[in-house]
Amino acid sequence: MKLTHSYSAIKQFENCARQYHQVRILRKFKSSETDATRYGTEVHKALELNVLEGTPVPEKFKQFEPYAHTVKRMSGTILCEQKMGLRRDFSPCDFFDKDVWFRGVPDVLAINNSGTARVLDYKTGKSSRYADTSQLELMAGMVFAHYPQVQKVKGALLFLVARDVVKADYTRDQFAEIMSKWAGKATAIEEATVWNPRKGPLCRFCPVSSD
């Protein structure tokens, strides 16, 4: 079976190999939507529409509007939900190409004329305590592949509810190291033969039922 990888898929495997196997390979279960994920989706869409089309932010999300204003003030080309793909040789491709190996979709991608790109990802969790900047690292690698003029990526996780920002910057000379790391993670999944469950506080939200 051909596997396509992403930050969320790899994190799912690392958090619980059994869930990954049941949901993404055997497809016995679907990831269930929760109130939290539904809320996050609505916030993302509201900010995207405001940035791209000037659509007013709904009243229930007004407290997040300043983030959209910040994005709109960024210099250069501003893209939202830009779908990117990479082949096994780390060359860029379309998100839906048959030979796509990695996929990524940054919430905001801004590219200016000085060779710097900004990658932003909105987070609606209540705390930034367990922020994972590796998501920004993978997105930086994909940006370097797709935009040869970009020499530096300035990434940020915007914790909207927690009112916090977690930053991480990357330079083009890190591209090979970044992609080698994520290729290793992808290969570990492709070579896996055992899919053991891993118990944790998120098990109660898991769509996979007991055998």
Side-chain angles (χ1 to χ4, degrees):
M1 176 182 179
K2 178 183 177 295
L3 294 178
T4 301
H5 306 282
S6 65
Y7 167 78
S8 59
I10 287 176
K11 290 302 293 184
Q12 183 181 40
F13 173 80
E14 293 177 342
N15 289 334
C16 181
R18 182 171 186 268
Q19 183 190 81
Y20 177 95
H21 186 241
Q22 295 281 316
V23 172
R24 294 184 183 265
I25 295 182
L26 299 183
R27 298 184 180 180
K28 287 185 176 181
F29 304 91
K30 292 183 178 180
S31 295
S32 56
E33 187 178 47
T34 65
D35 289 342
T37 57
R38 189 178 303 109
Y39 179 80
T41 299
E42 291 177 357
V43 170
H44 278 67
K45 193 62 178 179
L47 296 180
E48 177 189 350
L49 290 176
N50 182 264
V51 169
L52 295 181
E53 302 176 11
T55 304
V57 175
E59 192 61 38
K60 61 181 177 179
F61 301 138
K62 278 291 185 181
Q63 67 269 35
F64 306 137
E65 193 170 27
Y67 290 96
H69 291 330
T70 297
V71 171
K72 287 186 284 190
R73 288 196 297 268
M74 290 180 177
S75 62
T77 302
I78 299 175
L79 305 168
C80 293
E81 302 294 328
Q82 179 73 359
K83 293 180 172 63
M84 297 183 291
L86 289 183
R87 302 183 181 92
R88 282 183 176 270
D89 62 358
F90 308 145
S91 61
C93 67
D94 187 78
F95 192 83
F96 296 107
D97 279 353
K98 291 183 178 180
D99 57 349
V100 64
W101 195 41
F102 264 93
R103 287 175 172 152
V105 187
D107 291 336
V108 176
L109 172 59
I111 304 174
N112 63 31
N113 294 327
S114 66
T116 297
R118 291 182 179 273
V119 171
L120 309 180
D121 195 85
Y122 302 127
K123 301 294 182 184
T124 52
K126 295 180 179 179
S127 173
S128 60
R129 182 178 179 183
Y130 300 106
D132 182 9
T133 58
S134 65
Q135 178 180 6
L136 298 175
E137 178 186 71
L138 178 57
M139 289 301 99
M142 301 191 81
V143 170
F144 288 135
H146 276 261
Y147 301 92
Q149 76 274 27
V150 172
Q151 300 301 311
K152 183 175 184 178
V153 172
K154 303 182 74 172
L157 302 175
L158 305 182
F159 286 84
L160 308 181
V161 176
R163 297 179 182 274
D164 195 10
V165 179
V166 178
K167 300 179 180 180
D169 297 346
Y170 307 92
T171 55
R172 178 164 288 278
D173 59 6
Q174 295 175 275
F175 175 71
E177 179 183 356
I178 291 171
M179 295 319 304
S180 177
K181 170 184 171 181
W182 287 92
K185 290 176 178 288
T187 300
I189 295 175
E190 294 174 357
E191 295 180 350
T193 57
V194 177
W195 310 92
N196 291 325
R198 180 180 178 185
K199 292 185 178 181
L202 298 179
C203 284
R204 61 195 178 100
F205 302 110
C206 182
V208 180
S209 59
S210 301
D211 289 334

